[in-house]
Amino acid sequence: MKYPSSILYTFLSVILISCSGLDIYVSNDGNDQNDGSENNPVATLQKARELASDIAGEQEVNIHVNDGIYYLPGTLVFGPEDSGSEGKEITYQAINEGKAIISGGSLLSLKWEPYEDGIYQATTPAGLNIDQVFINEKNQRMARYPNYDASKKTAAYQGFAADAFSKERAERWGDPTGGYIHAMHRNRWGGYHYRITGKNEEGEVTFEGGWQNNRQMGMHKEYRMVENIFEELDAPGEWYHNAKTNTLYYYPAEDLDLKNAKVEIVRLRHLIEFKGTESDPVSYINLKGFVFRHAARTFMDTKEPLLRSDWAIYRGGAIKLTGTEHISILDSEFDQVGGNAVFFNNYNRDGLVKGCHIHDIGASGVCFVGDPNAVRNPLFEYNEKNDLSKIDLTPGPKTNNYPANSTVEDCLIHGIGRTERQPAGVQIAMAQYIAVKDVSIYDCARAGINIGDGTWGGHLIERCDVFNTVLETHDHGSFNSWGRDRFWMSDRSVTQKFVDENPELPFLDAMATTTIRNSRWKCEHGWDIDLDDGSSNYEIYNNLLLHGGLKFREGFKRKAWNNIIINNGFHPHVWYNNSGDEFFSNIITGEHRAIGVKEQGSGKRVDENLFYGNLTQAKYAYTDFDWDLNSINGDPQFVDPENGDFRVKEGSPAFQIGFENFPMDQFGVKKPSLKAIAETPEIPVVRYDGGGLAFGQRKKNDFEPFDWLGAKLKALEGEEFSAFGVAQSDGGLAVLEVQEGSMLHKAGIKVDDLILEINNQPTRNRKMFQRVADRQKDVPLELTIVRNQAKEIIRLEAP
């Protein structure tokens, strides 16, 4: 029988595909009418996806993408029909790693003309809404006040001003509509963003927004900045686009050849999306070797509150994954994208981000965020609380709609939070069994790695190098976590009662143990590792902490051993009774900094540690708690501390407490091309007396306890502000003791209350308190206090 040639060609093609899989080629010089062969490539990724979907899952498919920039007409979406299968994966890969660029922007051809004062102008196509401008592949800055100063890495927004949008400042603005206000949280727990809507009749700036932070307490009075205001266009690298007149204004640097400069703008929020479900997932697709660029900023859509954390989140990124299994993002670069780089949303299993360089990102690097509807008894705003007599006592999630069994590995992540101030290199919330391995993270506005809740634990952090974090925020750590799960509330006494009755209560959500090991941490502006507000079920060992120490606040069943803490110590804050916490076999160079820990709440074991140097008294500081009865003092005999090798030599007394050496050359990214450009932390000089404490030194006269009306008071210092949940600018006097029958006792003052004001006059420190109290000697008193992190009023008759 004789077949037509077209049928014979198809038949032979099927035989060829079935033997070797399918190779599809993409090139900017191609044509989407081509067959996608090496000599006849297609022009777009969209067309390659269509060709691949014809046999997806039946054979291995490799899409080879030639060098060049691929401007996406719209978000490239993969659905279940595009899935591969085990052993028959679909791989989209750059032929030369880093040479194929996937862009959500557009290339503009502009004719520049001088405007005035060094500023140039050009006419743009009608209808453009420009959020970002790239000149020669570098993101430029919207016109702003105050101007950006790159040298101010730890200053809010690299330049801030209390009068950023004052009436006086706004007098020089014609129409500020469309501008933005960026302001830090009043306690520096992240930030807020607002869109300017104009000016009112009094000339005051009007605006909307401020939903980006889950701790709604108002913006900081000083840490403010405005952008996208034409009249503030006054520095090289700044631009302003007038959409009404279709005019782009730009202030070039002196050495820029603007006439021949490459100008690109951003259009798309998401470059690639995977859209599946648990029952019908997108699976077995790899993206390899690309550069992802030109994804829009999303800070005005960062609205969804996460579970009682400080965070609000935008569920999206340059790549967004929903309903996936076995999706890998490999050896790729995320370059200056405006929001999150990679976002694993709700149901995802066995995802992998490996060998990637993520840098200069508007929000977070890689996010794993599940569905609140999968959580039992979820609460969102910090001050919300459950009735613990009525909560669901079923352990674990209600559904599978959350990320699990996924990994970020061998990546370089830095420059995080260029726009938003609530970011992390890796963010984990409502997820389980997420691994972060061999990753270098630094230059972060906030935490390097953040775990937002205890649901549902089982995470693994190992061989990471995390430093230069918490650069602009406050009261966090290089590693930061919360455990504000269904059992937790700010009033410890209520939680204590129910946990005493049901010791498994803290582990209904924090089901599986989270492990932090073999990593290096350094936070000059907070704690190196900060387990905050109820964080439970952690094991922490073989870590080198270079500055801020280790903090355990509240929570249950935290175990830390075989760690080395340089120029700092252990920070146990406001523990529960019988917490089951353990801290042993560690080398520490600073005293414990216990706050709000009662004798009966001393945990399970704090002992057999080595105190370095002149800390002889430190090891006896908490013997009333039965701490450190078997701890020792001595020189651990580090091998080469000047060069970061804190292993101990043979004969070291550290071996007497059960310490074991662990590798000092395996921290951070391993991929040769990334390791060659990765920074490492500055190694501090060891202070034998713990003199490098993260939050400053005591001033004896100002911070000694003193008596007042039958109570013993003390001004807050250092991390005590964190323990009471107030800003350093608020200050306050902590109540250490209250004599029974005294005036303050009868009025209802309790131990651990914090006095903020007397008759509406602030009492930030001891001197201010005594000055205010002396003026109020013969009048009734109204005390503004903080109790369980909420303000109350206590009234007294005249003393």
Side-chain angles (χ1 to χ4, degrees):
M1 186 174 184
K2 192 172 184 180
Y3 295 97
S5 59
S6 60
I7 295 178
L8 184 60
Y9 175 80
T10 302
F11 179 71
L12 292 174
S13 297
V14 170
I15 293 175
L16 180 61
I17 291 170
S18 66
C19 293
S20 61
L22 177 64
D23 289 291
I24 299 171
Y25 291 83
V26 183
S27 172
N28 276 327
D29 297 327
N31 189 307
D32 279 354
Q33 301 304 310
N34 291 342
D35 60 10
S37 61
E38 186 171 8
N39 294 325
N40 294 285
V42 296
T44 66
L45 292 166
Q46 288 84 346
K47 183 61 179 180
R49 184 194 64 80
E50 293 176 14
L51 295 175
S53 66
D54 290 341
I55 64 163
E58 298 176 7
Q59 293 293 329
E60 178 181 306
V61 181
N62 291 289
I63 296 91
H64 308 274
V65 183
N66 277 283
D67 299 357
I69 302 178
Y70 296 84
Y71 295 104
L72 298 174
T75 300
L76 179 60
V77 178
F78 295 103
E81 68 278 6
D82 299 306
S83 297
S85 59
E86 186 173 4
K88 301 172 184 177
E89 300 180 356
I90 313 295
T91 300
Y92 293 76
Q93 59 186 354
I95 292 175
N96 297 297
E97 182 178 325
K99 299 297 185 180
I101 300 167
I102 299 177
S103 167
S106 297
L107 179 66
L108 297 185
S109 178
L110 301 177
K111 182 179 180 180
W112 293 100
E113 297 178 352
Y115 173 65
E116 59 183 38
D117 299 327
I119 299 170
Y120 285 73
Q121 63 181 358
T123 300
T124 59
L128 289 184
N129 182 15
I130 300 178
D131 177 68
Q132 293 176 82
V133 173
F134 284 71
I135 304 289
N136 294 338
E137 301 181 350
K138 294 295 182 183
N139 198 356
Q140 307 300 295
R141 301 194 175 276
M142 279 183 170
R144 56 169 278 175
Y145 170 75
N147 289 330
Y148 176 85
D149 185 344
S151 68
K152 298 179 178 179
K153 291 184 67 173
T154 61
Y157 306 108
Q158 287 68 61
F160 60 85
D163 70 338
F165 59 96
S166 66
K167 180 179 177 180
E168 293 73 21
R169 189 78 193 180
E171 286 178 353
R172 61 197 298 269
W173 302 343
D175 181 8
T177 303
Y180 296 107
I181 298 168
H182 304 277
M184 300 298 289
H185 184 282
R186 71 179 303 270
N187 286 359
R188 295 172 63 188
W189 295 334
Y192 301 101
H193 309 272
Y194 305 83
R195 181 183 292 107
I196 296 174
T197 56
K199 291 191 285 187
N200 62 22
E201 293 180 356
E202 289 74 32
E204 298 168 327
V205 174
T206 58
F207 49 87
E208 61 183 7
W211 42 67
Q212 296 85 359
N213 197 293
N214 200 22
R215 300 286 294 272
Q216 287 291 317
M217 299 172 70
M219 66 175 80
H220 199 282
K221 293 180 180 179
E222 296 181 33
Y223 300 149
R224 303 172 173 189
M225 180 267 284
V226 293
E227 65 173 357
N228 207 33
I229 306 293
F230 179 60
E231 288 79 7
E232 302 296 351
L233 179 55
D234 59 1
E238 289 188 347
W239 62 270
Y240 177 83
H241 181 244
N242 188 325
K244 295 178 181 178
T245 63
N246 302 314
T247 305
L248 178 63
Y249 299 89
Y250 179 64
Y251 193 142
E254 289 185 4
D255 59 352
L256 177 67
D257 179 7
L258 187 58
K259 180 180 178 181
N260 295 306
K262 179 181 178 181
V263 181
E264 296 166 294
I265 61 169
V266 176
R267 293 177 294 104
L268 302 179
R269 296 182 178 194
H270 303 168
L271 307 185
I272 294 177
E273 287 191 33
F274 295 85
K275 290 186 175 182
T277 63
E278 179 184 356
S279 59
D280 193 15
V282 187
S283 56
Y284 292 102
I285 297 178
N286 307 315
L287 304 177
K288 185 175 182 180
F290 295 104
V291 175
F292 297 99
R293 193 178 289 160
H294 306 145
R297 302 188 301 176
T298 53
F299 61 89
M300 286 307 296
D301 290 302
T302 300
K303 296 182 177 181
E304 180 187 339
L306 296 181
L307 301 181
R308 287 201 289 184
S309 80
D310 299 352
W311 282 58
I313 201 77
Y314 170 73
R315 288 182 181 264
I319 296 180
K320 179 181 179 181
L321 304 96
T322 304
T324 75
E325 296 178 356
H326 300 283
I327 302 297
S328 297
I329 303 167
L330 309 171
D331 299 321
S332 293
E333 179 182 0
F334 292 81
D335 176 22
Q336 306 170 87
V337 299
N340 304 309
V342 181
F343 199 102
F344 287 87
N345 176 54
N346 293 337
Y347 180 82
N348 289 275
R349 295 293 186 273
D350 300 295
L352 176 63
V353 179
K354 184 176 181 180
C356 292
H357 185 195
I358 300 172
H359 65 94
D360 300 296
I361 304 300
S364 293
V366 184
C367 299
F368 299 90
V369 183
D371 178 9
N373 291 319
V375 181
R376 300 179 191 276
N377 305 114
L379 297 173
F380 298 92
E381 204 280 325
Y382 176 84
N383 291 308
E384 292 180 356
K385 58 189 69 175
N386 281 313
D387 182 341
L388 297 184
S389 67
K390 298 178 180 179
I391 62 171
D392 186 346
L393 296 178
T394 307
K398 292 191 294 185
T399 73
N400 293 323
N401 201 26
Y402 56 89
N405 304 319
S406 297
T407 301
V408 181
E409 183 176 357
D410 205 7
C411 291
L412 173 58
I413 303 175
H414 61 99
I416 298 301
R418 295 304 196 203
T419 301
E420 302 186 32
R421 296 306 188 264
Q422 202 73 288
V426 178
Q427 161 69 349
I428 302 170
M430 296 173 286
Q432 191 173 40
Y433 299 120
I434 304 301
V436 185
K437 304 191 296 185
D438 301 299
V439 175
S440 293
I441 304 175
Y442 54 87
D443 288 351
C444 301
R446 193 166 167 147
I449 299 174
N450 190 84
I451 297 180
D453 46 64
T455 52
W456 289 276
H459 312 304
L460 172 62
I461 316 296
E462 66 176 350
R463 295 188 303 274
C464 291
D465 199 10
V466 186
F467 58 97
N468 285 1
T469 62
V470 196
L471 294 179
E472 296 179 56
T473 58
H474 177 71
D475 196 10
H476 317 298
S478 286
F479 173 87
N480 189 86
S481 68
W482 294 291
R484 300 167 186 162
D485 308 326
R486 67 183 107 164
F487 82 92
W488 182 87
M489 58 179 60
S490 56
D491 187 342
R492 275 189 294 161
S493 63
V494 177
T495 299
Q496 187 74 64
K497 173 180 178 293
F498 281 90
V499 174
D500 287 345
E501 295 172 357
N502 180 5
E504 293 304 310
L505 196 60
F507 313 110
L508 298 179
D509 291 310
M511 302 168 60
T513 301
T514 291
T515 300
I516 304 174
R517 67 189 183 196
N518 295 102
S519 295
R520 181 167 61 186
W521 308 88
K522 188 182 184 190
C523 187
E524 287 88 346
H525 313 285
W527 295 272
D528 294 333
I529 298 178
D530 180 2
L531 270 58
D532 207 1
D533 288 0
S535 299
S536 298
N537 203 357
Y538 277 76
E539 291 190 349
I540 301 173
Y541 61 94
N542 292 5
N543 293 281
L544 174 61
L545 285 66
L546 289 176
H547 191 276
L550 171 64
K551 171 185 162 188
F552 285 0
R553 179 184 175 119
E554 300 168 323
F556 294 86
K557 195 181 173 185
R558 285 83 55 92
K559 182 179 176 182
W561 76 98
N562 217 71
N563 302 288
I564 302 170
I565 304 178
I566 300 300
N567 295 344
N568 216 304
F570 182 40
H571 299 248
H573 287 192
V574 288
W575 280 10
Y576 295 106
N577 301 343
N578 305 312
S579 64
D581 290 322
E582 299 183 73
F583 181 82
F584 64 94
S585 298
N586 301 287
I587 300 173
I588 52 180
T589 59
E591 63 183 8
H592 304 323
R593 305 273 287 184
I595 300 174
V597 178
K598 313 303 180 186
E599 182 175 352
Q600 67 272 28
S602 59
K604 181 179 179 181
R605 180 186 182 193
V606 180
D607 203 358
E608 296 179 89
N609 298 296
L610 171 60
F611 289 84
Y612 189 8
N614 3 327
L615 291 170
T616 306
Q617 298 303 314
K619 92 179 194 72
Y620 299 110
Y622 295 95
T623 53
D624 289 346
F625 296 176
D626 292 333
W627 288 5
D628 296 309
L629 299 181
N630 300 291
S631 294
I632 61 176
N633 286 91
D635 182 348
Q637 302 175 34
F638 294 131
V639 171
D640 187 8
E642 291 82 6
N643 292 301
D645 188 349
F646 289 91
R647 291 175 300 159
V648 299
K649 299 175 183 177
E650 185 178 352
S652 166
F655 296 124
Q656 299 175 29
I657 58 162
F659 180 85
E660 297 180 2
N661 278 321
F662 56 93
M664 294 283 161
D665 58 356
Q666 296 181 14
F667 305 125
V669 65
K670 307 295 189 299
K671 183 179 176 181
S673 61
L674 297 181
K675 188 173 183 178
I677 62 173
E679 296 181 13
T680 56
E682 182 179 348
I683 303 301
V685 175
V686 180
R687 301 182 181 184
Y688 304 141
D689 60 352
L693 289 171
F695 296 95
Q697 304 300 304
R698 290 173 55 85
K699 296 179 181 178
K700 184 174 180 180
N701 294 333
D702 293 338
F703 297 105
E704 288 300 309
F706 65 97
D707 296 321
W708 184 67
L709 301 182
K712 192 174 292 293
L713 309 182
K714 178 188 176 300
L716 297 188
E717 58 175 323
E719 64 263 39
E720 291 173 343
F721 293 96
S722 172
F724 283 90
V726 297
Q728 293 194 21
S729 58
D730 292 332
L733 280 294
V735 179
L736 304 182
E737 300 175 9
V738 184
Q739 295 178 13
E740 188 171 352
S742 68
M743 178 177 290
L744 290 181
H745 180 262
K746 292 177 180 178
I749 288 290
K750 300 179 180 180
V751 171
D752 290 337
D753 285 346
L754 183 72
I755 301 174
L756 289 182
E757 296 176 350
I758 300 177
N759 291 348
N760 296 317
Q761 297 184 50
T763 56
R764 296 189 185 93
N765 53 50
R766 178 173 176 172
K767 290 180 180 178
M768 185 180 292
F769 178 91
Q770 291 176 325
R771 189 165 56 245
V772 171
D774 288 344
R775 291 200 300 259
Q776 311 290 330
K777 279 187 175 180
D778 300 315
V779 299
L781 300 181
E782 183 178 274
L783 306 183
T784 302
I785 69 166
V786 172
R787 178 178 294 166
N788 298 319
Q789 300 195 32
K791 287 186 178 181
E792 296 184 19
I793 300 296
I794 300 290
R795 294 178 174 85
L796 296 81
E797 297 299 324

